[in-house]
Amino acid sequence: MRYGKEHKQATRQRIIEAAGRRLKTDGIDGSGVSTLMTDAGLTNGAFYAHFESKDDLVATAVAHELRAQREALGELPPGRVGVEHLIREYLSVGHRDNPGLGCPSAALLDEIGRAAAATKTAYTEGVLAFIEEFAARLAPDDPQSAHAKVLSIYAGMIGTLQLSRALADRELADEVLEQGIANALALVNAESAPDAVR
Amino acid sequence: MRYGKEHKQATRQRIIEAAGRRLKTDGIDGSGVSTLMTDAGLTNGAFYAHFESKDDLVATAVAHELRAQREALGELPPGRVGVEHLIREYLSVGHRDNPGLGCPSAALLDEIGRAAAATKTAYTEGVLAFIEEFAARLAPDDPQSAHAKVLSIYAGMIGTLQLSRALADRELADEVLEQGIANALALVNAESAPDAVR
DNA sequence: AATTTTGTATTACGTTCGTACTACCATAAG
DNA sequence: CTTATGGTAGTACGAACGTAATACAAAATT
């Protein structure tokens, strides 16, 4: 090998990371291959040496973003303190106003629902891993039962952040975040899963 | 006037309604003007006699979709029975599998967050009207305090439906809906707003 | 009833941007 | 100094939004 094994790998990684930001900022359909490559400091022709197609990169980038999100969980304080921290951070003004650095689900979820099968598969696997880690943190003794609950909490946070981003009235958008935090915290602190209330 | 006042108005309405379905199915960036017009039984050139730009149509269609969603509220049984019905319908398999006939927020929310200002403004107004009607139905005596609560319920349902649509594993997708229903019902039936739990 | 008028839609075009591919070049390893 | 690798630059072709010239259809006028 001429360039040393890492060269191409490192470039590939650079493309994936730059693409993660760009996709979350401009959307999947809103990001062209040429732009994605320019972001990585390359020209569009080099793209197909690294990925089969745009769909291939999108699926890879989505997987990478979710892995990063899962790994960020590990850096939080242990137990419910960490969970509470996560919720307040997730539903913060800073996160809302910087989609490129934030949650891929909040930025892209409806587009992922319409995306190629490979992207949906990558997303599904990534979310499952994230949810499991989240559940283990929330209820170390019984992560299995927390699984479903965490799914709902995550879904609620995604919808809340998207809604806050879509509103033209900033005051209302901030109120949505506030209420979302209260709501998520209540769910986390509820002793039983909501379906026990039925 | 040569064609009778209604002709152009009727055509415009046809475009808006067809666009509503197409946008929700293929996304905003995923729907071309040419396709939108073909859906309405016209050719692309006629478009600019009815709308200034694609953004103009998108904003109009979003407003129309939200108005329709609000009006659908009126056809439900009164009181909490109707609300419960709405939740089960919203988080149903049928709704998930037919985005074109469903909620515009669930189909487009993250794209709306990135859309032109006019679209975000139209969305904001439409959502506010919807939320107010919802709140009045949930708490006829004190719709003001229900306002914030309803925002959270709506956001949660949006995220839940999007998540269910994005998952490649059908079983998991169905579980997400189930859990979302339980979650939303618990919120509706909670006596106080969640922030009282803090 | 025939003709003019005018609003509506079609067809065709310009330009830009999208994905995909290929031929060529520069670099660094051997 | 050869050779393979990773990259650039350029090309093909279709789809995007938007505009303009043209055709058509229906109401109003005579």
Side-chain angles (χ1 to χ4, degrees):
Chain A
M1 293 162 197
R2 301 298 145 126
Y3 264 74
K5 228 179 192 171
E6 325 89 35
H7 281 224
K8 191 169 182 180
Q9 273 297 326
T11 304
R12 183 185 158 93
Q13 207 56 29
R14 215 171 65 234
I15 296 172
I16 292 170
E17 277 160 29
R21 286 190 296 276
R22 172 65 67 173
L23 290 169
K24 288 189 290 181
T25 305
D26 292 351
I28 297 174
D29 285 349
S31 308
V33 170
S34 172
T35 306
L36 293 170
M37 291 302 278
T38 304
D39 285 349
L42 299 170
T43 52
N44 77 44
F47 180 82
Y48 296 90
H50 293 278
F51 302 94
E52 274 193 0
S53 63
K54 184 183 172 183
D55 282 344
D56 182 15
L57 168 60
V58 170
T60 307
V62 164
H64 177 265
E65 290 292 322
L66 286 169
R67 188 157 7 94
Q69 194 174 30
R70 195 193 74 215
E71 279 163 12
L73 271 182
E75 287 166 22
L76 291 169
R80 301 216 166 185
V81 182
V83 170
E84 194 169 319
H85 190 84
L86 168 70
I87 289 170
R88 291 186 188 279
E89 197 57 44
Y90 192 101
L91 296 174
S92 69
V93 172
H95 187 192
R96 181 193 60 201
D97 295 341
N98 292 285
L101 305 175
C103 172
S105 300
L108 302 173
L109 196 48
D110 67 49
E111 276 193 294
I112 291 171
R114 294 185 290 267
T119 303
K120 294 179 72 169
T121 303
Y123 181 78
T124 305
E125 284 167 14
V127 162
L128 268 177
F130 174 76
I131 292 294
E132 265 159 38
E133 187 121 346
F134 196 138
R137 179 171 281 266
L138 190 61
D141 43 329
D142 185 9
Q144 202 55 33
S145 88
H147 198 99
K149 184 172 155 179
V150 168
L151 272 172
S152 266
I153 294 172
Y154 189 50
M157 296 201 303
I158 293 168
T160 301
L161 195 61
Q162 284 189 6
L163 186 54
S164 186
R165 279 176 180 161
L167 293 171
D169 178 335
R170 181 158 181 144
E171 215 172 313
L172 184 60
D174 289 351
E175 185 194 327
V176 167
L177 289 183
E178 285 294 322
Q179 187 63 29
I181 291 172
N183 194 6
L185 289 179
L187 271 175
V188 164
N189 293 321
E191 287 311 312
S192 52
D195 58 8
V197 183
R198 262 208 289 190
Chain B
M1 291 157 197
R2 299 300 143 127
Y3 263 71
K5 230 176 191 171
E6 326 88 33
H7 281 225
K8 190 169 182 181
Q9 274 297 326
T11 303
R12 183 185 157 93
Q13 208 55 30
R14 215 171 64 235
I15 297 171
I16 292 170
E17 277 160 29
R21 286 190 296 275
R22 173 64 67 173
L23 290 169
K24 290 188 290 180
T25 306
D26 292 352
I28 297 174
D29 285 350
S31 307
V33 170
S34 172
T35 306
L36 294 170
M37 290 303 277
T38 304
D39 286 349
L42 298 170
T43 53
N44 76 45
F47 179 83
Y48 296 90
H50 293 278
F51 301 95
E52 273 193 1
S53 63
K54 183 184 171 182
D55 282 345
D56 181 15
L57 169 61
V58 169
T60 307
V62 164
H64 177 265
E65 290 292 322
L66 286 169
R67 187 157 6 96
Q69 194 174 30
R70 197 192 73 215
E71 280 163 11
L73 272 182
E75 288 166 21
L76 291 169
R80 303 216 167 185
V81 183
V83 170
E84 193 169 318
H85 190 83
L86 168 70
I87 290 170
R88 290 186 189 281
E89 196 58 43
Y90 193 101
L91 296 174
S92 69
V93 172
H95 187 192
R96 181 193 61 201
D97 295 342
N98 292 285
L101 305 175
C103 172
S105 300
L108 301 173
L109 196 49
D110 67 49
E111 276 192 295
I112 291 171
R114 294 185 291 267
T119 302
K120 294 179 73 169
T121 303
Y123 181 78
T124 305
E125 285 167 13
V127 163
L128 268 178
F130 173 76
I131 292 294
E132 266 160 37
E133 187 120 348
F134 196 137
R137 180 170 281 267
L138 189 61
D141 43 330
D142 185 8
Q144 201 54 33
S145 88
H147 198 98
K149 183 172 156 181
V150 168
L151 273 171
S152 266
I153 295 172
Y154 189 51
M157 296 202 302
I158 292 167
T160 302
L161 195 62
Q162 284 188 6
L163 186 55
S164 187
R165 280 176 179 160
L167 293 171
D169 178 335
R170 184 163 177 135
E171 215 172 313
L172 184 60
D174 289 350
E175 185 194 327
V176 167
L177 289 183
E178 286 294 321
Q179 188 63 28
I181 290 172
N183 195 4
L185 290 178
L187 271 174
V188 164
N189 293 321
E191 286 311 312
S192 53
D195 58 6
V197 183
R198 262 209 284 191

